[in-house]
C-alpha cells in the first residue's frame, strides 16, 4: 500500500487503465471520500476504502476482485457507481512509496 502523493495527477479517462497497469495503484478523491484503486498479488484489481482499516492495518476492500483493468473501470462499488461513473468529479493522485 503506497501513500497518497500531494500533487494531483493529470490523467484522461482513456489513459487511466494504462496508468493502472504501469503503476499498479492510484488514489481517487470523490464526494468527500478517498479510494485506493489497486491490483493484488495475482493481477486482480479492487477498490479499497481508505477510511477503514482491517486487523492488519490495510485498507478495507469495497469492491469485488476482477481480473481486467478495463473491467475494473466499470465495476460498481460506491452506491452502485463505478470509476467510469465518478471519473468526471474525481481527482486522482499517484501512489508513492513511503520515504
Amino acid at each position: 500500500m503506497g501513500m497518497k502523493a500531494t500533487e494531483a495527477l493529470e490523467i484522461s479517462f482513456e489513459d487511466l487503465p494504462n496508468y493502472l497497469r504501469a503503476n499498479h495503484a492510484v488514489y481517487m478523491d470523490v464526494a468527500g471520500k478517498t479510494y485506493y484503486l489497486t491490483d493484488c498479488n495475482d493481477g486482480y484489481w479492487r477498490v479499497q476504502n481508505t477510511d477503514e482499516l482491517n486487523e492488519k492495518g490495510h485498507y478495507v476492500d469495497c469492491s469485488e476482485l476482477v481480473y481486467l483493468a478495463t473491467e475494473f473501470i466499470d465495476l460498481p462499488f460506491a452506491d452502485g457507481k463505478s470509476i467510469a461513473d465518478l471519473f468526471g468529479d474525481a481527482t486522482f493522485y499517484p501512489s508513492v512509496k513511503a520515504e
Side-chain angles (χ1 to χ4, degrees), residues 8-71:
L9 180 65
E10 294 291 326
I11 192 164
S12 70
F13 179 74
E14 293 76 20
D15 291 335
L16 184 58
N18 287 334
Y19 181 89
L20 286 168
R21 283 186 209 103
N23 296 281
H24 307 282
V26 69
Y27 282 87
M28 180 177 83
D29 285 358
V30 65
K33 292 191 173 240
T34 299
Y35 298 99
Y36 191 55
L37 316 180
T38 187
D39 64 358
C40 338
N41 297 338
D42 293 327
Y44 285 84
W45 295 92
R46 63 185 171 198
V47 178
Q48 296 180 310
N49 182 348
T50 65
D51 292 332
E52 296 181 45
L53 300 176
N54 64 19
E55 64 280 351
K56 294 180 180 179
H58 298 142
Y59 301 139
V60 174
D61 293 353
C62 60
S63 77
E64 297 178 36
L65 291 172
V66 293
Y67 188 66
L68 300 173
T70 51
E71 179 184 6

